[in-house]
Structures are given as C-alpha cells and as structure tokens.
Amino acid sequence: MVLYTLGGTIASSDVDGTGGVRPSLDGAALLGLASGALGDLEVEVVGVRQVPSGELTIEDAVELSHRITHDLERGFDGAVVTQGTDTIEEFAFALDLLSTSASPIVVTGAMRHPGELSADGPANLAAAIRVASDPSMRGLGVLVVMNDEVHAARFVRKSDSASLAAFASWATGPIARILEGRTRRYVSPPPLARVLEPVRPGTVVPAVALATCALGVDARLVEHLVDLGYAGLVVEGFGGGHVPARLVEPLTTLAATMPVVLASRTGAGDVLASTYGYVGSERDLLGRGLISAGFLDGPKARVLLSLLLATGATTDQVVTAFARLHRSATELA
Ligand code: ASP
C-alpha cells in the first residue's frame, strides 16, 4: 500500500500557536494517529504537497496520477491519497479520468482537524487504507472514503461546510460502507469510458472558466472570456440547464470560438435535453452548439473539459467525450 499526502485538515495543526490550524503533519504522523486500526498492513508514505486543497491544481492531479500508475505497476496493491476536503470531488474525479489502473485508488481527508474532539481523520485514513487493500474494490474507479462511506469519485460532492457527513453522491448514495471493520459493497458503478488521450506531466492545462447563473445575471463575464484568455467555459445554468435570454447570443457567439459546456447549478441530476422550448432553455442552448455536461456538475465538467483541452481535443472531440462519458456512467439505468 502506498500513501500520498497533500495536506488539508486531516494534516492540520496549530503549529504557530496562533489559534488557527494549517497543514503541517507529515504522512508518518498521520499513520501514527491511525496505527491502532491498521494491524500489520504495510504502508509506504510519499509526501507530495502540504497545502490547503484550494491550492491544488489539475496539473497536480496529472503529476500524481502518473506517480500512482508507476507505483502500482511496481507492485503496490492499492493507493491512498490524503488531501483537503474542499476540492476532493474535483481532484478525485481528475484522478479517475486519468487513471488506467484497476487497483483501488482511494482519496480521503477529514472534516475535523486532529486537535478537535472526535477528529475523523484517523478513522477516515484507516478506512481508506482498508478499502484500498481490498481486492473486491478493484475496477470501481477512483473512490472517496469519508465517514465510513465509500463514494464513486464521479458522483461525490462536498455538500456541507462542516458536518462529518458532508459527502454525498446524488445518483447512487455511497457505493459501500465500512462496517465492523469490513467493506460492504451495495453498488458497482459501471466502468467509466476512457475519454482522454494520455496527458503527460508538465502539460499546461488551458484555463477553463466556470460561471454560475444567478437571478438577474448579466452577460459581461461571458463577453470578456475570450479577451481574458480562457480556452473554454462551463456555464452552470438554472435547473435543468437554463439561462436568461440576454445570455443566449453571447453564449452562442462564444460557442462558435471555444467549447461551452452546459451544466446545472442544482448539483444533482442530469442536464435536460428535450423538455423546454423557450429562448435560453436547454433545447435552445444545445441547439446553438453548447455541449451537455450530462450527469456532471459544473466543477467536475470543468475538470473534464480542462483535461480534454490539455490533450488538444477539438470541440467535436469534446462533444464526443462528454457524450461517451455520460453513456458509460448511466449504464445502470
Ligand atoms: N480547508 C481545508 C482544505 O480543503 C478543508 C479540509 O481539508 O477539510 O484543505
């Protein structure tokens, strides 16, 4: 088993005595806190970053994914990544899109730092290591383990700012739970289609903007994206994928020059395709060249679009990739 540490609350302490915690504990210290629950499992530790997870980038995920692939090929049976929970849903999904290994890759973190009562980091780490060393968890894609639940990276979202039960997967719920020291699996997500060409470490990931519709929103942001150097846009529309009529022409113009992906700001459920017929509806926007995010929320759609653009994908290839990924993930239905 190999453990990669990137910082976050799970590794945070008040090192400066200021009263505020920041990432500071290394992997050996994290393992020390969880050691009582690890038995004779052997874990090799790799310190990667020591940051709040808002500092992580898609480039970091590319680098780490290569390292994990290399280490799994060397013979490790699984990999665990610890990081801040603020961006787990995106970082784990990036690893999922990039990973080519069937061995379990499990991402975890903590909602309470080690100095708090009932800190959850040690239990989360022990559970993540248990899941990553369980052969029955192979081939399920990248997983996120929090609060004794196992979530598929493709669906999971941080849905609460502070609760220990902050992580939820709208489509399936947790696919497994840790119960009495064992992993019990209830759902097997179908394999995600491999929609990315290889992304080499060091590749520059083009900037993709994420814009959320809100009551009375105007078009200024959309109109300036090209000048600002963005290579793509994910727009989180209202409900099933709707925007005010005043955004339609600017979005249409933009979609002729760069991929514009339409997601829903609701955070759950697919983008609609064929229900509403008004200007700014999902039918209207998809007919004007916007690309459906399918089941992906805005942040996850942005990860996919960014990685596709990093591989030099054309807009047509982006359309195909989003559609293939959506079909592969919804096979259960
Ligand atoms: N701010 C922290 C981070 O994402 C929160 C956490 O780890 O839970 O790094």
Side-chain angles (χ1 to χ4, degrees):
M1 179 65 43
V2 57
L3 167 67
Y4 307 88
T5 61
L6 281 75
T9 294
I10 191 169
S12 289
S13 67
D14 182 7
V15 265
D16 313 316
T18 59
V21 300
R22 64 177 170 84
S24 50
L25 303 177
D26 64 14
L30 295 189
L31 277 179
L33 294 172
S35 61
L38 294 179
D40 53 8
L41 276 172
E42 278 182 27
V43 182
E44 185 167 313
V45 177
V46 181
V48 181
R49 302 285 305 272
Q50 190 65 288
V51 292
S53 68
E55 297 298 325
L56 297 173
T57 63
I58 296 175
E59 282 90 345
D60 287 327
V62 171
E63 299 265 341
L64 182 59
S65 169
H66 274 265
R67 184 154 195 177
I68 291 173
T69 303
H70 177 253
D71 289 344
L72 292 175
E73 282 168 3
R74 280 202 296 141
F76 287 106
D77 52 353
V80 172
V81 177
T82 57
Q83 67 158 98
T85 62
D86 288 351
T87 63
I88 265 189
E89 63 207 64
E90 288 154 273
F91 203 83
F93 184 55
L95 293 179
D96 204 12
L97 292 170
L98 292 161
S99 160
T100 51
S101 172
S103 299
I105 299 171
V106 181
V107 189
T108 192
M111 294 302 295
R112 292 184 184 162
H113 65 75
E116 289 183 278
L117 275 181
S118 302
D120 53 332
N124 287 343
L125 179 57
I129 291 173
R130 186 166 297 125
V131 170
S133 53
D134 183 340
S136 78
M137 300 304 280
R138 289 173 59 84
L140 299 174
V142 172
L143 303 169
V144 172
V145 168
M146 294 289 295
N147 199 33
D148 280 343
E149 294 180 343
V150 183
H151 295 266
R154 70 189 72 166
F155 293 130
V156 74
R157 268 173 83 101
K158 186 173 185 179
S159 310
D160 190 294
S161 62
S163 166
L164 291 180
F167 284 83
S169 296
W170 66 266
T172 57
I175 65 163
R177 285 179 190 270
I178 321 297
L179 197 65
E180 298 177 325
R182 298 180 59 190
T183 308
R184 295 191 185 271
R185 176 149 50 94
Y186 305 103
V187 176
S188 293
L192 268 195
R194 297 281 124 220
V195 296
L196 285 181
E197 295 297 321
V199 190
R200 276 195 299 281
T203 302
V204 176
V205 177
V208 172
L210 174 60
T212 304
C213 277
L215 193 67
V217 69
D218 66 28
R220 275 178 289 182
L221 212 60
V222 173
E223 284 164 354
H224 284 96
L225 285 181
V226 175
D227 306 342
L228 291 170
Y230 284 98
L233 167 67
V234 175
V235 57
E236 287 188 318
F238 303 120
H242 310 138
V243 305
R246 73 187 80 90
L247 258 58
V248 169
E249 283 308 327
L251 284 172
T252 308
T253 306
L254 200 64
T257 63
M258 66 172 70
V260 179
V261 173
L262 178 65
S264 164
R265 74 170 192 171
T266 61
D270 292 7
V271 172
L272 299 179
S274 57
T275 302
Y276 293 99
Y278 55 82
V279 176
S281 68
E282 82 287 346
R283 277 173 64 122
D284 182 34
L285 295 170
L286 298 175
R288 290 168 178 271
L290 272 70
I291 302 161
S292 174
F295 73 99
L296 297 176
D297 62 18
K300 285 195 209 291
R302 180 178 164 278
V303 168
L304 175 55
L305 179 55
S306 302
L307 286 169
L308 285 165
L309 292 175
T311 66
T314 63
T315 298
D316 281 349
Q317 289 167 330
V318 170
V319 172
T320 306
F322 270 85
R324 280 189 58 220
L325 193 92
H326 189 220
R327 272 199 305 278
S328 69
T330 53
E331 209 176 66
L332 276 179

